[in-house]
């Protein structure tokens, strides 16, 4: 290659003086010769909404028309808008300036990492099925899900780049990012590209997934000779902003304009007082109510209590518990002994069990006989939640100590046979199955360098960040015992790629994870869940099953929760069905 040719290729990155400025000069029109050949009125369908490239429009009214064509349930974004205050002024009741920052990475200044992340491998999407995994990650991060067919069609062009991150230890897809090549989209005179939808699985992603995805996307566009990579990030996403700044992104004056719709409501309308203090389980209910135009009053943020009002009716809720659940139905679920008696009388399958009050000698003798007949048992308080006081896999010799531990939380204790199988939660609302998910105990994956304690601490911090502090792995005697039984100590280095379960129970509050299986739930289990909800007379419940094989119908029911966490089951429409139950007249209310 000649010296002259090399200079021309390098020039693709940065044109003298004028390049990189056309899109962000909102106060004046660019010289005509610079935009000659640029596409006009360019709108790209991303699956979750459309990108409206403002610099390609000569008429602001046409941008308004484009945003008015937004599909229900989607989020359109107008970026690089010239004179955004004028655009919003044309339709002030419909449009707003997004409270976000736009950052730009000068690709000519990009520097590769000194230490590559060996736990993460970033690659292109390979199949439409992997795009369903992308949607799963979107849902887990509270993002708008995308149309997989649209994404797959986009992916088959060079204009769009869909990347996923694999955990090299487990081969699971744990992150994603989307790139748009502006040159291929509309012959961008600024020679740019943009980054969208950076997301990492809050349950499983190892550290550094976001950075790895951004770096690979940037390096791909460097390979194409692009000049810069832009992105938009909400002003309060401090973690993402810190990442972008660390990678060399700098702020630009570009602003984003969006349409006033229920998805965007929190960005342009004042929130009810106390809304930000709600936990995720109450917040998902409040957000759905606000989306429908239901008035929300936070009556007690720490407990998640809300007063919802619509058309003269008021309903008090506490997360997924409401006034529609009677005190009698609640008491049937609150006491696990009562739950099992009602279910057994209805012909539903429950484990064999023994009831005790305190350290009752006769009850202990019966419990020992049960353990001798069935093998290890489960000991739990008759009342309680979040897995407190529960001991799993108790042998005869440890039975008295486990009963004493359970009695610390509730004087009434239940000892049940330990049934092998997957821990399955089925959410039933208005006597219909809405969601089903397998819950798995907290586990860590070895890096070959970190101790078991360090892995637990890192995983716990990620779980806390992803759940607003609702989930973490206790470093207590129970965790240490599980680790010891697996042949390790907390100070041992776990071999790379080895998965180590560190808790016995699959409770989400102690770091457990969840996998949606709603679409594959066996009809026998769905039928049993509905029958249980009717037997208990409860309109909203989370039934806990033990299932030997998820493909089959064999099961036992071990608990009924009167206040299931609806936020744990996204993308299933748990909050929508809950609000349908409370205010059926708002069912099907348009979201635009």
């Amino acid at each position: 290659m000649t010296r002259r040719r090399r200079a021309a290729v390098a020039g693709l990155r940065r044109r003298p003086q004028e390049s990189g400025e056309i899109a962000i000069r909102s106060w004046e029109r660019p010289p005509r010769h610079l935009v000659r050949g640029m596409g006009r009125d360019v709108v790209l369908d991303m699956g979750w909404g459309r990108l409206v490239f403002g610099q390609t429009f000569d008429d602001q009214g046409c941008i308004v028309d484009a945003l008015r064509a937004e599909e229900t349930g989607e989020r359109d974004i107008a970026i690089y808008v010239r004179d955004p205050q004028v655009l919003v002024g044309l339709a002030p009741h419909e449009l707003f300036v997004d409270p976000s920052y736009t950052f730009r990475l000068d690709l000519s200044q990009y520097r590769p990492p000194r230490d590559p992340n060996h736990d993460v491998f970033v690659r292109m999407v390979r199949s439409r099925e992997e795009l369903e995994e992308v949607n799963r990650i979107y849902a887990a991060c509270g993002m708008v899900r995308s149309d997989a067919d649209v994404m797959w069609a986009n992916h088959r062009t060079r204009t769009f780049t869909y990347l996923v991150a694999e955990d090299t230890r487990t081969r699971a897809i744990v992150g994603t990012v989307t790139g748009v090549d502006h040159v291929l989209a509309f012959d961008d005179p600024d020679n740019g590209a943009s980054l969208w939808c950076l997301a990492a699985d809050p349950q499983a992603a190892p550290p550094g997934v976001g950075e790895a995805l951004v770096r690979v996307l940037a390096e791909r566009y460097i390979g194409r000779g692009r000049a810069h990579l832009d992105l938009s990030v909400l002003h309060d996403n401090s973690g993402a902003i810190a990442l972008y700044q660390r990678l060399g992104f700098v702020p630009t004056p570009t602003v984003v304009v969006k349409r006033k719709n229920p998805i965007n409501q929190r960005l342009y309308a004042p929130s009810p007082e106390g809304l930000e203090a709600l936990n995720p389980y109450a917040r998902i209910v409040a957000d759905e109510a606000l989306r429908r135009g239901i008035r929300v009053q936070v009556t007690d943020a720490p407990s998640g209590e809300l007063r919802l009002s619509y058309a003269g009716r008021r309903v008090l809720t506490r997360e997924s518990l409401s006034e529609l659940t009677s005190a009698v139905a609640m008491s049937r679920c609150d006491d696990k002994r009562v739950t099992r008696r009602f279910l057994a009388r209805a012909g539903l399958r429950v484990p064999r069990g023994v009831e005790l009050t305190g350290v009752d000698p006769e009850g202990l003798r019966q419990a020992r006989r049960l353990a001798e007949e069935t093998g290890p048992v489960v000991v739990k308080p008759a009342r309680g939640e979040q897995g407190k006081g529960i001991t799993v896999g108790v042998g005869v010799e440890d039975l008295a100590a486990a009963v004493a531990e359970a009695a610390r939380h509730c004087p009434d204790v239940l000892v049940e046979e330990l049934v092998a199988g997957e821990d399955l939660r089925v959410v039933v609302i208005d006597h219909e199955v809405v969601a089903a998910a397998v819950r798995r105990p907290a586990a860590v994956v070895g890096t070959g360098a970190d101790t078991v304690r360090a892995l637990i601490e890192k995983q716990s911090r990620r779980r806390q960040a992803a759940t607003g502090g609702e989930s973490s792995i206790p470093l207590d005697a129970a965790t240490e015992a599980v680790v010891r039984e697996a042949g390790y100590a907390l100070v041992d280095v776990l071999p790379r790629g080895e998965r180590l379960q560190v808790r016995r129970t699959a409770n989400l509050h102690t770091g457990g994870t969840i996998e949606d299986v709603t679409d594959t739930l066996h009809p026998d289990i769905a039928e049993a869940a509905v029958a249980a909800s009717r037997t208990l007379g409860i309109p909203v419940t989370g039934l806990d099953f033990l299932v030997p094989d998820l493909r089959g119908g064999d099961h036992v029911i071990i608990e009924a929760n009167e206040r299931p966490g609806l936020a744990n089951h996204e993308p299933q429409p748990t909050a929508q069905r809950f609000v349908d139950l409370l205010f059926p007249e708002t069912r099907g209310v348009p979201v635009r």
Side-chain angles (χ1 to χ4, degrees), residues 14 17-27 104 190 228:
R14 175 72 64 187
Q17 301 295 319
E18 297 169 318
S19 181
E21 297 179 356
I22 292 173
I24 63 176
R25 289 190 300 185
S26 64
W27 59 91
R104 170 168 291 181
D190 282 343
H228 59 259

Side-chain angles (χ1 to χ4, degrees), residues 42-47 49-53 159-160 180-181 185-186:
V42 176
V43 179
L44 300 183
D45 189 352
M46 303 292 290
R50 299 170 307 149
L51 290 180
V52 179
F53 288 92
T159 299
F160 302 86
V180 176
D181 189 324
F186 55 90

Side-chain angles (χ1 to χ4, degrees), residues 201-411:
D201 189 333
Q203 294 197 91
V209 166
E211 178 175 343
L213 285 161
V214 174
R215 285 189 177 279
V216 171
L217 188 66
E219 288 162 5
R220 283 180 174 269
Y221 287 130
I222 288 172
R224 293 187 186 182
R226 299 295 172 254
H228 59 259
L229 181 65
D230 288 353
L231 60 86
S232 175
V233 58
L234 282 177
H235 72 286
D236 57 358
N237 193 346
S238 55
I241 290 171
L243 167 64
Y244 298 139
Q245 290 178 327
R246 188 169 70 250
L247 293 176
F249 285 82
V250 297
T252 74
T254 303
V255 299
V256 165
V257 175
K258 295 178 181 175
R259 191 172 179 275
K260 292 181 178 179
N261 64 25
I263 295 175
N264 295 326
Q265 185 171 2
R266 69 182 185 88
L267 302 176
Y268 64 84
S271 300
E273 186 177 352
L275 189 71
E276 299 300 327
L278 293 174
N279 65 37
Y281 309 109
R283 181 62 186 265
I284 192 175
V285 174
D287 287 345
E288 176 62 19
L290 290 169
R291 188 185 72 83
R292 301 188 188 200
I294 297 170
R295 183 172 180 267
V296 175
Q297 180 185 357
V298 180
T299 50
D300 187 58
S303 68
E305 186 181 288
L306 310 172
R307 179 178 288 114
L308 308 181
S309 306
Y310 186 84
R313 286 186 59 240
R314 292 183 176 182
V315 179
L316 276 174
T317 66
R318 183 186 173 195
E319 298 172 0
S320 63
L321 180 66
S322 76
E323 294 174 292
L324 275 64
T325 296
S326 70
V328 172
M330 182 173 172
S331 69
R332 290 173 179 173
C333 294
D334 179 57
D335 190 324
K336 298 176 179 63
R337 301 168 303 171
V338 177
T339 303
R340 59 178 284 113
R341 289 200 295 267
F342 267 84
L343 297 183
R345 282 200 294 266
L348 296 165
R349 285 174 264 176
V350 297
R352 294 172 60 189
V354 173
E355 300 173 10
L356 300 86
T357 299
V359 187
D360 169 27
E362 177 56 30
L364 271 176
R365 280 193 289 273
Q366 294 180 23
R368 287 194 181 97
R369 283 198 293 272
L370 177 66
E372 288 168 353
E373 294 174 13
T374 67
V377 293
V378 179
V379 180
K380 53 189 174 184
R383 293 184 176 89
E385 56 184 11
Q386 300 181 4
K388 295 175 181 176
I390 297 177
T391 309
V392 179
V394 180
V396 174
E397 63 281 0
D398 299 319
L399 194 57
V403 170
E405 170 61 23
R408 287 180 54 245
H409 299 269
C410 174

Side-chain angles (χ1 to χ4, degrees), residues 487-566:
Y488 290 98
L490 292 177
V491 296
D492 291 339
V493 173
L494 191 63
R496 179 175 174 79
E498 183 167 336
R499 186 178 185 276
L500 176 65
Q501 182 178 314
V502 297
R503 298 291 293 187
R504 286 196 178 89
T505 60
N507 195 281
L508 297 178
H509 290 273
T510 55
T513 58
I514 191 165
E515 176 189 346
D516 182 74
V517 294
T518 307
D519 293 340
T520 57
L521 184 67
H522 195 280
D524 289 354
I525 297 176
E527 183 180 342
V530 172
S533 75
R534 292 189 183 279
T535 297
L536 298 170
I538 189 164
V540 180
T541 183
L543 282 305
D544 291 342
F545 290 74
L546 287 174
V547 182
D549 184 351
L550 289 171
R551 296 168 296 182
D554 289 345
H555 66 272
V556 293
I557 305 175
I558 56 174
E559 285 185 27
N561 190 322
E562 74 279 2
R563 187 165 50 95
L566 303 184

Side-chain angles (χ1 to χ4, degrees), residues 3-17 19-20 108 189-191 224-227:
R3 185 184 304 273
R4 182 182 181 87
R5 176 59 177 159
R6 284 198 298 268
V9 172
L12 286 173
R13 291 191 179 178
R14 175 72 64 187
R15 296 181 184 177
Q17 301 295 319
S19 181
S108 68
D190 282 343
N191 193 31
R224 293 187 186 182
R226 299 295 172 254

